[in-house]
Structures are given as structure tokens and as C-alpha cells.
Amino acid sequence: MTYSALSHLECPRCGARHDADLVQGTCPCGSPLLARYDPGQVAVSPRDIAGRPPDLWRYHELLPVRTPGRVVSLGEGMTPLIALPRLGRALGVPNLLMKDEGLIPTGTFKARGAAVGVSRAGELGVSAVAMPTNGNAGAAWSVYAARAGLRSLVVMPAAAPAITRAECAAAGAELYLVDGLIGDAGKLVAAAVARRRGYQDTSTLREPYRIEGKKTMGLEVAEQLGWTLPDVIFYPTGGGTGLIGMWKVFDELERIGWIDGNRPRMVAVQSTGCAPIVRAFDQGREFAEPWQNAQTMASGLRVPAALGDFLILRAIRESNGFALAIPDEVILEARAEVGKDEGLLLSPEGAATYAAYRQALAEGRVGKTDRVVLFNCGNGLKYPMPDTDLRIDRHKPVDYARL
Ligand SMILES: *Cc1c(COP(=O)(O)O)cnc(C)c1O
């Protein structure tokens, strides 16, 4: 029995093949590399999968780690896919679902990419991981590196959320703050990795396996829907790893015969303060121009230039999807609405998918009976919240008429 059906790495831009059992970064042509699997080596059925433990490693044949003993896990995956009945009734839509990634180690879906990326890095002999981050990826990779016994070097914009800095520190990461954006942090990481032995640059899509972890969101949605796919997926898009990964795994699933050819339309959601993918999609471009003066409180969406831009745009177009940018005020208002009506405390990035869905529905870009999956990428508890407390001074007369 083969634990992993991984066969090789392939460049989606120039088509070159690379050895998957060596530490690899990007293709010499500059593109990210994608892991490829041999469908003939996948000797399980959905029925076998159903009997496995409820974490993302239940799909190990379609993941890159070759030896079970190299799996580094904190129980990540199998997050709930839950209905939004009250919001659905108000909008007149019966099939609205939310994949809640807030319920995962480190509180964001970055844990998926980190679990698989760190496991594979350790298996290939890497001794330390290094990356720039807007916060959540650094937190997740530091935590999984600690679990694996690897060191971690993290460089963040000084404006990254304080909680994510604390998470890195708690996991023993070597953490630097830089006055700039994630691209500035990336240059420092590249310089450090070039000088240090045993360090791998694990920036988004600069190594091939983070995306393999993120694609498990697509596997779970398929399994949770009885090995069918929704009509539309709304995905909060920064570097786009999850969107690219899900689109990739739908293909892998069809090749092994677990799903048919029906595919969801993929919708990339960004903030109007940083929307390079939305602009490139609307202009019909193959690549996205970097976004100037990126600004949004949805830090996961603050990615002015994505290495996988052409892969995101390709997936949106192949799926007959689209891209939408939402202003920060609307994101916050959507977050409050979902909290009050469904009891879900979303991250701002997750709330953006609900706001985008509402807009797309109003504009007729999605149908009322479409089965739709929104992604809440992180736990709302990781973000600052407005102070709305009503206070009572018990040392003064209490106005019981108001209480
Ligand atoms: C990283 C991140 C995103 C963007 O995810 P990608 O798959 O890289 O596009 C969105 N929201 C949150 C909270 C994130 O941490």
C-alpha cells in the first residue's frame, strides 16, 4: 500500500518536470511548482476514507508525505460545513453554507498548509523554515515547526496583528518586524535564507507543499457533500493558495473517479483597499499588476502581488467564476450581521465572502437556488473588536427603568 501517490513536481507555466524527493523552491522560469500524483497508486475508496480519523491526513494518498512517521499533526482539518439558515431565509436562498476554518489549530486555515508543508520539509531533511507573513502564516508555521522540532524564522510587517506576533513568540520563532509590507519582508527572508544552512524559504508558493495542505479544504467540502461539489465557492483571496489548491484537487478527484466533471464556479473575494486579482480579472489580464498603497484591516487579504496570480486568474476563468472587491466598512457590517443572525464570529476576511455573496446575489451573478459555500478562513477571536460594552456603576443609584 502506498501512503502517498506523489509522483513528481510540474511547472504550470513552462511544463518542466522536477524531482519531488529533493528540496525544491520555484521553477527556474519563476513559477510556483505543483505536486502531481499517480492516480494508479491511489488504492482506496471514499468508503475507506470515511473510516479514518477526522483530520486532513485521512487523504494521505493525495498528500506529499511519504512516511506516516513524518506526519506532524495537531489534529488539523475536518472543520464544520454549516448551514446559514437565518441569513438564507432573509435572502430567500435555501442552500447557503459556511466552511468554518476558525475551528482549527492556530485559529486559521494557514494550519493546513503549515501541517503539510512542515511535515514534508522535515521528511526531506530541512532543519529550519523561514517566511514573510502578514501574521497568520507565521503563527501557523512557527507552531508546526515547534511541533516538528524545526527552527523558524519569521519576518512580519510591523502592522501585523499583535496576537500573531505573540503566537510566533510562544512557539519559539525567531521573529523580526519590518516597517513595510509583506513584499519587503520577503526580500529580507530571501537574503537570510541565502546565508543560512538548512533553512528553506517557505513563502507562499515558493515551496510546493503549502498548497497541498490548503487543497484539503476542497477534499473536505467534497466529502461533506457526499462526494459532490457546490455550485459556487466564495474564497477570501490573498496569495490565493486555497483557491488554486481546491481547483487543483477537484481535477485530482475526477482522475481517481471520486467525483464527476461538475465543478463549482470559483469566486475570488478581496478588499477594495487591495484588489490586484479583481482588477486583473476585470481587465482580462493573465497576470496581476502589483497594487499600490495596499490598505485593509483584513490583513489576510493585504497581498499586493501574488506569485500565483496567473494560477488564481486561470482557475477563476476556467471555472466560469468572477472576482469581487468589498470595502472594509461593508466587511465589518457583514461581520456584525453574521454574528447576530447566526452566532458565528467570523474573521473580517471570512465576512468579506458573505458580503460578496450578498452583492453577487443582488446583481444576479449567482442564482437563488445555487448551492454556495463561503469560507470563513479564521477565528474572529484573533481580531480586535469594537468596544460596545454598556457599563453599570454599582456605587451609584442604578436606573432600573433602563436596565
Ligand atoms: C492567508 C489568509 C487569507 C488568504 O488566503 P490565501 O489562500 O493565501 O489566499 C485569508 N484570510 C486569512 C485570515 C488568512 O490568514
Side-chain angles (χ1 to χ4, degrees):
M1 291 296 263
T2 318
Y3 190 72
S4 168
L6 179 68
S7 65
H8 64 282
L9 299 173
E10 187 179 82
C11 175
R13 192 185 294 162
C14 75
R17 258 178 98 106
H18 297 272
D19 188 343
D21 290 298
L22 299 175
V23 176
Q24 302 278 8
T26 50
C27 184
C29 82
S31 166
L33 292 175
L34 299 180
R36 297 297 182 206
Y37 298 81
D38 177 356
Q41 293 290 316
V42 180
V44 283
S45 67
R47 189 196 297 254
D48 304 322
I49 299 280
R52 291 180 177 175
D55 60 45
L56 61 77
W57 300 99
R58 65 205 269 112
Y59 310 112
H60 60 74
E61 284 87 353
L62 292 175
L63 292 173
V65 178
R66 295 207 190 272
T67 321
R70 302 307 311 212
V71 166
V72 180
S73 179
L74 293 164
E76 55 288 335
M78 266 302 153
T79 55
L81 180 65
I82 46 184
L84 302 178
R86 197 167 286 115
L87 292 171
R89 267 198 301 281
L91 294 169
V93 295
N95 296 312
L96 184 57
L97 299 163
M98 169 83 65
K99 179 81 169 151
D100 190 3
E101 293 285 294
L103 296 168
I104 200 165
T106 77
T108 73
F109 59 18
K110 292 291 192 301
R112 295 178 185 271
V116 174
V118 165
S119 297
R120 184 66 177 150
E123 185 173 44
L124 294 177
V126 168
S127 55
V129 294
M131 84 226 68
T133 173
N134 277 332
N136 289 326
W141 282 73
S142 306
V143 163
Y144 281 91
R147 179 82 176 171
L150 306 187
R151 278 164 294 143
S152 53
L153 166 68
V154 177
V155 186
M156 281 190 204
I163 182 85
T164 59
R165 303 192 317 247
E167 287 178 271
C168 291
E174 182 184 349
L175 171 66
Y176 296 95
L177 300 183
V178 58
D179 55 333
L181 290 174
I182 189 164
D184 305 300
K187 286 181 197 124
L188 294 169
V189 166
V193 168
R195 305 174 54 158
R196 295 184 181 201
R197 278 182 59 147
Y199 278 74
Q200 186 183 14
D201 185 341
T202 55
S203 308
T204 306
L205 296 176
R206 282 193 194 281
E207 58 76 50
Y209 301 117
R210 182 194 292 217
I211 190 173
E212 295 304 294
K214 291 288 275 290
K215 82 179 183 186
T216 60
M217 295 187 285
L219 288 163
E220 288 178 19
V221 167
E223 184 175 1
Q224 288 169 318
L225 295 176
W227 300 103
T228 64
L229 296 176
D231 297 307
V232 196
I233 287 178
F234 282 75
Y235 188 79
T237 305
T241 328
L243 192 148
I244 299 166
M246 286 194 280
W247 191 243
K248 172 179 186 286
V249 84
F250 296 153
D251 221 49
E252 293 167 1
L253 282 176
E254 189 179 352
R255 265 176 223 211
I256 59 173
W258 292 9
I259 60 169
D260 62 20
N262 287 311
R263 291 278 189 288
R265 299 169 69 202
M266 304 298 286
V267 180
V269 180
Q270 300 197 301
S271 160
T272 50
C274 182
I277 298 298
V278 180
R279 182 173 63 189
F281 176 78
D282 288 341
Q283 294 177 348
R285 299 275 162 87
E286 187 186 357
F287 296 93
E289 288 291 313
W291 192 269
Q292 301 302 322
N293 304 317
Q295 231 166 9
T296 166
M297 51 77 204
S299 53
L301 309 182
R302 209 185 296 134
V303 182
L307 191 65
D309 55 356
F310 68 105
L311 295 172
I312 304 170
L313 290 160
R314 205 186 272 179
I316 300 171
R317 293 199 175 104
E318 282 178 5
S319 73
N320 190 29
F322 53 94
L324 271 181
I326 306 296
D328 277 13
E329 319 81 80
V330 180
I331 292 176
L332 288 176
E333 181 252 314
R335 184 187 198 215
E337 186 181 337
V338 178
K340 284 199 197 90
D341 284 358
E342 300 286 5
L344 285 167
L345 181 55
L346 306 181
S347 63
E349 299 85 352
T353 66
Y354 173 66
Y357 170 69
R358 225 174 30 187
Q359 183 181 325
L361 187 72
E363 291 171 356
R365 298 177 91 172
V366 294
K368 287 207 160 191
T369 55
D370 282 347
R371 188 161 65 166
V372 175
V373 172
L374 311 176
F375 269 88
N376 177 40
C377 33
N379 195 312
L381 293 172
K382 289 191 80 172
Y383 295 78
M385 278 175 267
D387 179 359
T388 55
D389 301 336
L390 305 173
R391 291 193 164 72
I392 293 173
D393 184 345
R394 65 191 172 84
H395 300 295
K396 291 192 181 136
V398 174
D399 180 357
Y400 287 102
R402 280 187 58 204
L403 183 61

